[in-house]
Amino acid sequence: DIQMTQSPSLLSASVGDRVTLSCKASQNIYKYLNWYQQKLGEAPKLLIYYTNSLQTGIPSRFSGSGSGTDYTLTISSLQPEDVATYFCQQYNSWYTFGAGTKLELK
Amino acid sequence: EVQLVETGGGLVQPGRSLKLSCVASGFTFSSYWMYWIRQAPGKGLEWVSSINTDGGSTYYPDSVKGRFTISRDNAENTVYLQMNSLRSEDTATYYCAKDNNNYDFDYWGQGVMVTVSS
């Protein structure tokens, strides 16, 4: 099974900050990587698919990058509404999710 | 507007069964794979099952294989999850989700809680 490790588990940042969230796979996943945002009490929402493709309706301040085993979600200018937990998910071999990064305002 | 509405959750004793339903609207249901994904309280997400467009192929992780069965009724725009021999570790919120034909989950239901406890 492919394991997904997200870091950090908790991130505190200020409005306007550039924020970077990391996701590392236990083996090469060939860019088959999606990112989701989950706000408290809500279902997850797809943000980025296939490493760097922005889902329709998602603000352009969100972007994704990476290859091989290492992937990154970047928020270029943090907004208050971005407070949430972010999960990465691989689909190179079945589907596994990372444990999440909780993003809070400083 | 795409909508996925799950029902059927509740409190059930270990070893018993429960069947979840997810009614879909706002898209051509029969054209998309469907999934069940769960989230234990305060935990991350776990893929539980997948079904292809005509229901002829189904997939499960080892944690539920042999106990859970996914099915669909394209005439009723509904996907089901039959859960047998339930265990305490199956306690979670269960979401149904739609595939975007790219192995990503572009729409999710609001989730339904399943609690397995005596």
Side-chain angles (χ1 to χ4, degrees):
Chain A
D1 292 4
I2 298 176
Q3 309 302 317
M4 306 300 292
T5 302
Q6 290 188 244
S7 60
S9 56
L10 176 63
L11 180 59
S12 298
S14 301
V15 173
D17 283 354
R18 183 180 181 87
V19 172
T20 300
L21 287 63
S22 295
C23 178
K24 187 175 182 67
S26 59
Q27 63 189 72
N28 191 341
I29 57 171
Y30 304 98
K31 296 189 173 185
Y32 294 126
L33 190 284
N34 302 322
W35 288 95
Y36 299 86
Q37 175 194 66
Q38 186 177 33
K39 296 183 179 180
L40 196 63
E42 297 184 5
K45 176 194 293 186
L46 177 66
L47 298 177
I48 302 284
Y49 60 95
Y50 192 54
T51 293
N52 56 15
S53 296
L54 193 65
Q55 174 68 353
T56 302
I58 301 302
S60 59
R61 64 180 180 271
F62 291 92
S63 63
S65 63
S67 63
T69 61
D70 297 306
Y71 298 84
T72 298
L73 174 69
T74 299
I75 307 174
S76 60
S77 178
L78 185 67
Q79 300 303 302
E81 61 266 31
D82 299 335
V83 168
T85 299
Y86 293 82
F87 295 96
C88 60
Q89 172 240 326
Q90 69 81 24
Y91 56 101
N92 179 65
S93 175
W94 301 113
Y95 315 91
T96 48
F97 294 83
T101 292
K102 185 176 182 179
L103 178 58
E104 63 178 27
L105 288 180
K106 192 181 293 182
Chain B
E1 178 194 6
V2 172
Q3 284 197 314
L4 299 169
V5 179
E6 303 100 334
T7 57
L11 173 64
V12 62
Q13 293 179 328
R16 303 297 293 265
S17 299
L18 203 61
K19 187 173 185 176
L20 307 182
S21 301
C22 171
V23 177
S25 60
F27 65 101
T28 305
F29 180 74
S30 58
S31 296
Y32 295 91
W33 284 49
M34 296 296 294
Y35 298 77
W36 288 95
I37 297 159
R38 68 184 179 185
Q39 186 171 35
K43 302 295 186 182
L45 298 159
E46 180 187 18
W47 163 65
V48 171
S49 60
S50 311
I51 189 165
N52 73 339
T53 55
D54 66 7
S57 296
T58 59
Y59 306 91
Y60 310 90
D62 288 344
S63 58
V64 307
K65 194 176 295 182
R67 301 187 300 121
F68 289 13
T69 302
I70 189 172
S71 61
R72 67 190 295 162
D73 183 339
N74 286 344
E76 297 293 330
N77 287 356
T78 303
V79 60
Y80 303 97
L81 185 67
Q82 176 68 47
M83 303 184 292
N84 299 333
S85 303
L86 282 161
R87 306 167 179 167
S88 57
E89 54 264 37
D90 297 318
T91 294
T93 296
Y94 284 74
Y95 296 99
C96 74
K98 168 188 169 291
D99 188 327
N100 198 22
N101 286 339
N102 280 321
Y103 303 105
D104 52 56
F105 311 121
D106 64 338
Y107 287 96
W108 299 58
Q110 83 287 354
V112 62
M113 184 69 199
V114 173
T115 303
V116 184
S117 175
S118 54

